[in-house]
Amino acid sequence: MTASGVHLFDRVSGVNVLLDEVSVPVEQYSRAPRYLSVALTNACELRCGYCYAPKHAAALDRERVLAWAVELDAAGCLGLGFGGGEPTAYRRFAQLCSDIARSTSMAVTFTTHGHRLTPELVDSLRGAVHFARLSVDGVGATYERLRGRPFAAVVRAAGLLDSLAPFGINAVINADTIGELDELAEFAERVGACELLLLPEQPTAATPGISDADGQHLIRWAGTAGTGVRLAISRTGLETALPTAEAIPGELPLDAHMHVDAMGVLRPHAYASTGLPVGGSIVDAVQTLKEMG
Ligand code: SF4
């Protein structure tokens, strides 16, 4: 419940309903963000040049994450999204997803490079995950150059995810991939994905981020592309030039989404340089971060 009204969400179908004619008293507003992304671990065996995940070893305690999930669920959070690093490299990842799905009503999602997925792991995640995201930066030889893994392997991973839950394709858009937008959309459609999430490359210590020219190209393409999959774009500034839907009218960024890194630091989003270490209660940390602005 928020200033926008009462938000109903079904994690299995993904249906959202906003009852915006209901006026919610301030004391009943949700104390949690609508969605929290969690970097379970910094570990990842790939070496993508544009990766923004810290490279020092760190991982969150499983019991701690489960306790946060229960607390967030009670405070009105609707979904947890696991990333990293690579979340499938996290010890007993499937057990954590299953514990959270059983103990809360939140959607459990994760983003993966796909190269650790096996039929056995997918079986153990069945029923415990409601949406998955597969990172595919470019197709064919471009993918293999950027990710250092065979493209055929990520095609197999897409097949495994398709048997698990609805899934989307995430694609970092930069000088290497800007020329393959049509191919990425065709790939997403062919493997049965329901969404293509475009992630304009963010600047890191090693990379400058997407160029202005490539950003403009992306905007033009998204405005005219007739794809068979839903298009989405990460919040990077470019979305203001695109005809994107406003998920909840009037919703403030910190009410929509926050991020916890693998050191247990709560941040406004994954690229934010500052944050707040979570002490005992994650909902208290959420409130403090909001007060800090
Ligand atoms: S797969 Fe993801 S976490 Fe791993 S190096 Fe590439 S961008 Fe970073």
Side-chain angles (χ1 to χ4, degrees):
M1 291 192 273
T2 69
S4 305
V6 175
H7 183 176
L8 307 175
F9 170 63
D10 175 48
R11 67 183 182 179
V12 175
S13 63
V15 167
N16 288 270
V17 176
L18 179 66
L19 304 175
D20 61 357
E21 68 274 35
V22 179
S23 173
V24 179
V26 176
E27 62 275 14
Q28 290 180 17
Y29 287 0
S30 295
R31 299 184 72 235
R34 179 162 52 85
Y35 169 78
L36 184 80
S37 60
V38 180
L40 287 175
T41 173
N42 285 343
C44 180
E45 65 274 56
L46 270 55
R47 292 288 174 266
C48 309
Y50 40 82
C51 181
Y52 67 82
K55 298 303 167 214
H56 59 268
L60 291 168
D61 176 75
R62 202 166 51 87
E63 291 302 323
R64 195 175 177 211
V65 177
L66 178 58
W68 288 346
V70 171
E71 193 190 352
L72 288 162
D73 184 43
C77 185
L78 302 181
L80 282 190
F82 293 127
E86 172 53 39
T88 60
Y90 183 73
R91 213 171 136 261
R92 299 179 69 197
F93 173 61
Q95 183 67 51
L96 175 64
C97 294
S98 158
D99 287 347
I100 292 174
R102 208 179 41 249
S103 312
T104 77
S105 59
M106 291 188 294
V108 178
T109 71
F110 71 107
T111 301
T112 178
H113 60 42
H115 296 289
R116 287 173 167 264
L117 291 176
T118 60
E120 295 72 28
L121 176 57
V122 167
D123 276 346
S124 62
L125 288 168
R126 213 175 298 288
V129 166
H130 305 95
F131 194 86
R133 296 187 173 280
L134 180 64
S135 301
V136 185
D137 306 331
V139 297
T142 304
Y143 176 89
E144 296 187 348
R145 180 164 53 82
L146 295 177
R147 294 249 154 179
R149 290 289 188 278
F151 188 63
V154 83
V155 175
R156 274 197 300 279
L160 286 170
L161 289 180
D162 194 29
S163 73
L164 172 64
F167 74 105
I169 300 295
N170 285 10
V172 172
I173 306 302
N174 56 21
D176 290 303
T177 59
I178 189 74
E180 298 191 347
L181 292 167
D182 286 335
E183 288 82 356
L184 279 164
E186 280 160 25
F187 170 78
E189 194 173 353
R190 178 157 45 87
V191 296
C194 57
E195 182 180 285
L196 174 60
L197 173 61
L198 305 166
L199 303 162
E201 184 186 289
Q202 293 297 295
T204 66
T207 57
I210 190 168
S211 69
D212 289 345
D214 288 342
Q216 290 307 315
H217 182 110
L218 175 59
I219 290 166
R220 281 195 302 279
W221 177 84
T224 57
T227 70
V229 289
R230 184 172 70 222
L231 288 179
I233 187 163
S234 63
R235 277 184 191 270
T236 53
L238 291 181
E239 76 280 2
T240 57
L242 288 167
T244 48
E246 203 179 355
I248 297 192
E251 184 180 50
L252 299 172
L254 290 184
D255 290 332
H257 171 232
M258 288 191 190
H259 175 80
V260 179
D261 69 19
M263 298 284 286
V265 175
L266 181 71
R267 300 176 187 275
H269 52 81
Y271 309 121
S273 55
T274 56
L276 181 74
V278 179
S281 158
I282 191 162
V283 173
D284 286 353
V286 164
Q287 297 309 312
T288 307
L289 197 63
K290 280 187 189 175
E291 284 160 19
M292 288 163 62

